Amino acid sequence: MDILERISEKLLDGDDQEVGRLTRQAIEQGLPPRKILDDGLIAGMGIVGQRFKVHEIFLPEVLMAAKAMYAGMDELRPLLVKEGVPSAGKVVLGSVQGDLHDIGKNLVGIMLRGAGFEVIDLGNDVAPERFVETAREQEAPVIGMSALLTTTMPVMKNVVELIREQGLDGQIKTIVGGAPVDAAFAGEIGADAHGFDAANAVERVKLLVGKTSK
Amino acid sequence: MRPLLERLERGETLVADGALGTMLLERGLPPGQCPESVNLERPQILEEIAGLYLEAGAEIIQTNTFGGSPLKLGFYKLEDKVEEINRSAVRAVRNAVGDRAYVSGSCGPSGKILKPYGDADPEKVYYSFRKQMEALIAAGVDVICVETMVDLAEAACAIKAAKDVSAVTPVMATMTFDATPKGFYTIMGVSIEKAASGLQEAGADVVGSNCGQGIENMIQIAWAFRRCSDLPLIIQSNAGLPKTEGGRVVYEETPAFMAEQAGQLLAAGVSIIGGCCGTTPAHIRALRQMVDAVADG
């Protein structure tokens, strides 16, 4: 088994120390950082996402795998920056105002990072203005919003409207998700996409990033 | 009123109340506001809702304190108001029901993920729950309901906190399960078998499930609990999964459908039947009629 496969394997085990150590070793061996990222960390998180989706593993395993991924990313980041390796894109992420159920949002963040995206996580209870301001400042083409409470879903519409009011249509795309949020609701409020689970959200964000105009 | 546990031991079936959050929204709680802030600002709404559920036939009525622990209230910077928020909620329900129903002190998750998976220290989570339990029990609840839990360790913190504050106050504990190809699990990977033994070990007097994906799954969950627990069971189901229609959130299961299905909960030996998200006084009335019809045989 080569070292990148071992990184993936240790990531699946949630072994952050080993993933950090193996990533350093891969760097020392002279493997390109991009390759370590793609074929080690991203490949491992892809499997984690798949297994979670089919209920083979649960949230604790995903969280431990994510910690291991971050341990590897910490080693790689300086090199990726130095070599100017572009991220898959920037995504501003948060749970909408008043929503404290952030498990779903955190999962999407983990999976996005695991797919090579740069994620700006604003946390819980994020006001519409903050979503839009952050996306502008950071030049992020995508805003991802999560809600797990039906009471907070209408706030998502406010974000979509704010983007329109500020004339940012086409520059900033929106994706919504969370247990009570379905594709029909996304359509009704004018969001650009709906992610029905964390893995699906990543696929949708990839499509959205391809569509935005600068 | 005879003590709750005594009635359960005699084999009685009790009806609990339905959803609170949706009722609050209908009465003008702005989306995004802390649901427990109502306790301070407009407790009369809570009295009205408790009265509606009482009138519909509920004998166990919950307080509006699902997020009433300091850790959770901290998200809204209301952690200094723990005592008032919990006390006011208990008073409102007591004012409405007197001794015609049991006042059940609701306690939901802390909103934190416990170590090692998250960053919350279990001891801190315990003390957060303990503060809420002190307030609820001092205000005179008849029973505590630890609910919508997905992590057994966190549920145990809440149950132990309640028992440490008052060994004689009964504790009901429910977890929320998803249907998977391998059976029912919480998102944290807790099986029904593990939940049943873990909740009992922590000190729960009544165990079961709430929220979830609708009454049909709940029937299977109830049977699974029955197979691995001798404790009285409580089931509080959602009226299906929420959907949106024309910008409004709707739950599909009608009172008649839910009550008809819920007959099977009785067959599984469930002692307390109530509702969760999407249920209304009409659902509870239908459940009441079903339970009474079965009792009259």
Side-chain angles (χ1 to χ4, degrees):
Chain A
M1 196 190 297
D2 75 9
I3 189 159
L4 297 182
E5 282 173 43
R6 274 165 62 208
I7 290 176
S8 285
E9 197 186 75
K10 289 295 164 191
L11 191 147
L12 290 171
D13 293 342
D15 189 338
D16 54 346
Q17 288 188 2
E18 269 302 285
V19 170
R21 194 186 65 79
L22 288 167
T23 304
R24 276 196 303 280
Q25 200 181 317
I27 294 167
E28 280 159 17
Q29 285 178 10
L31 288 169
R34 180 69 194 246
K35 195 171 165 55
I36 303 173
L37 179 68
D38 286 346
D39 299 345
L41 300 176
I42 292 180
M45 282 310 287
I47 300 170
V48 169
Q50 207 49 42
R51 288 190 182 169
F52 180 71
K53 196 175 164 178
V54 299
H55 304 284
E56 244 175 68
I57 57 173
F58 294 95
L59 195 56
E61 291 85 355
V62 176
L63 295 172
M64 296 311 274
K67 276 189 185 173
M69 170 186 71
Y70 296 147
M73 285 294 274
D74 287 345
E75 302 292 339
L76 276 180
R77 194 170 296 114
L79 292 170
L80 292 169
V81 171
K82 201 168 112 193
E83 296 188 4
V85 176
S87 79
K90 270 190 194 178
V91 181
V92 173
L93 196 64
S95 293
V96 294
Q97 212 167 33
D99 208 322
L100 305 175
H101 290 66
D102 64 347
I103 290 175
K105 184 263 302 168
N106 289 348
L107 266 176
V108 172
I110 287 167
M111 294 305 169
L112 280 171
R113 288 192 181 102
F117 284 89
E118 195 179 328
V119 177
I120 302 145
D121 189 341
L122 299 178
N124 296 310
D125 202 7
V126 181
E129 296 74 19
R130 208 161 146 240
F131 272 113
V132 179
E133 269 164 33
T134 309
R136 281 180 85 152
E137 280 167 22
Q138 299 278 338
E139 295 182 5
V142 178
I143 292 176
M145 293 171 272
S146 154
L148 243 98
L149 288 176
T150 51
T151 60
T152 51
M153 285 166 59
V155 179
M156 294 174 158
K157 190 176 178 184
N158 299 347
V159 174
V160 174
E161 282 167 357
L162 198 59
I163 290 171
R164 268 192 209 133
E165 278 167 27
Q166 300 196 359
L168 297 168
D169 268 21
Q171 285 175 51
I172 301 176
K173 299 274 183 188
T174 50
I175 176 166
V176 295
V181 179
D182 57 17
F185 177 79
E188 276 162 27
I189 65 164
D192 297 298
H194 163 251
F196 65 79
D197 61 24
N200 178 250
V202 173
E203 294 312 309
R204 300 283 167 174
V205 168
K206 283 180 186 166
L207 291 173
L208 289 180
V209 169
K211 273 186 203 161
T212 51
S213 54
K214 276 278 152 150
Chain B
M1 258 189 325
R2 276 209 313 278
L4 176 70
L5 293 182
E6 204 179 295
R7 291 180 64 186
L8 298 180
E9 269 161 32
R10 292 159 57 108
E12 283 188 53
T13 308
L14 300 185
V15 175
D17 61 358
L20 191 52
T22 36
M23 303 278 279
L24 288 176
L25 284 177
E26 282 169 12
R27 283 159 183 76
L29 171 76
Q33 192 177 322
C34 172
E36 284 78 20
S37 62
V38 175
N39 306 8
L40 301 174
E41 290 157 15
R42 293 166 73 194
Q44 62 279 10
I45 295 185
L46 303 176
E47 241 179 277
E48 185 216 334
I49 297 169
L52 289 173
Y53 278 122
L54 180 75
E55 197 230 333
E59 297 153 282
I60 298 174
I61 297 188
Q62 291 215 327
T63 56
N64 185 38
T65 53
F66 182 83
S69 61
L71 274 179
K72 188 80 179 280
L73 288 173
F75 285 99
Y76 297 99
K77 308 209 172 5
L78 284 172
E79 63 271 35
D80 296 338
K81 305 261 187 213
V82 173
E83 211 203 318
E84 291 154 85
I85 282 173
N86 284 281
R87 187 178 54 217
S88 169
V90 175
R91 276 199 188 150
V93 179
R94 183 64 78 197
N95 284 345
V97 307
D99 61 359
R100 287 172 293 170
Y102 301 99
V103 178
S104 170
S106 166
C107 169
S110 64
K112 307 272 184 190
I113 296 177
L114 270 63
K115 284 177 181 173
Y117 312 116
D119 56 8
D121 195 336
E123 203 174 334
K124 268 196 186 146
V125 173
Y126 166 86
Y127 279 105
S128 169
F129 284 134
R130 188 167 168 138
K131 256 197 129 166
Q132 182 181 14
M133 296 304 177
E134 279 166 1
L136 288 170
I137 289 167
V141 292
D142 299 304
V143 56
I144 292 288
C145 187
V146 172
E147 56 177 345
T148 328
M149 290 287 170
V150 291
D151 178 8
L152 201 44
E154 185 180 1
C157 282
I159 296 166
K160 282 182 183 148
K163 286 293 178 185
D164 289 347
V165 173
S166 162
V168 295
T169 304
V171 175
M172 312 190 283
T174 57
M175 300 189 82
T176 300
F177 300 92
D178 299 319
T180 82
K182 291 186 293 183
F184 290 97
Y185 287 87
T186 73
I187 192 169
M188 294 298 280
V190 181
S191 66
I192 289 175
E193 208 175 351
K194 281 209 174 118
S197 62
L199 296 173
Q200 178 164 16
E201 210 170 287
D205 302 289
V206 180
V207 296
S209 183
N210 75 316
C211 217
Q213 298 156 317
I215 188 76
E216 284 155 307
N217 274 339
M218 275 302 193
I219 292 162
Q220 297 181 48
I221 290 171
W223 278 109
F225 262 103
R226 183 75 300 155
R227 282 191 288 271
C228 53
S229 180
D230 296 325
L231 288 180
L233 300 183
I234 175 169
I235 296 289
Q236 297 201 274
S237 178
N238 278 5
L241 275 176
K243 296 203 165 111
T244 51
E245 257 171 35
R248 269 189 67 233
V249 179
V250 292
Y251 289 82
E252 284 192 326
E253 294 180 5
T254 62
F257 174 78
M258 215 174 167
E260 189 199 319
Q261 296 287 318
Q264 296 178 59
L265 293 178
L266 295 187
V270 174
S271 299
I272 300 172
I273 297 176
C276 199
C277 309
T279 56
T280 63
H283 289 85
I284 299 309
R285 194 182 308 279
L287 289 175
R288 172 85 263 166
Q289 284 162 359
M290 184 277 294
V291 167
D292 288 346
V294 171
D296 292 342

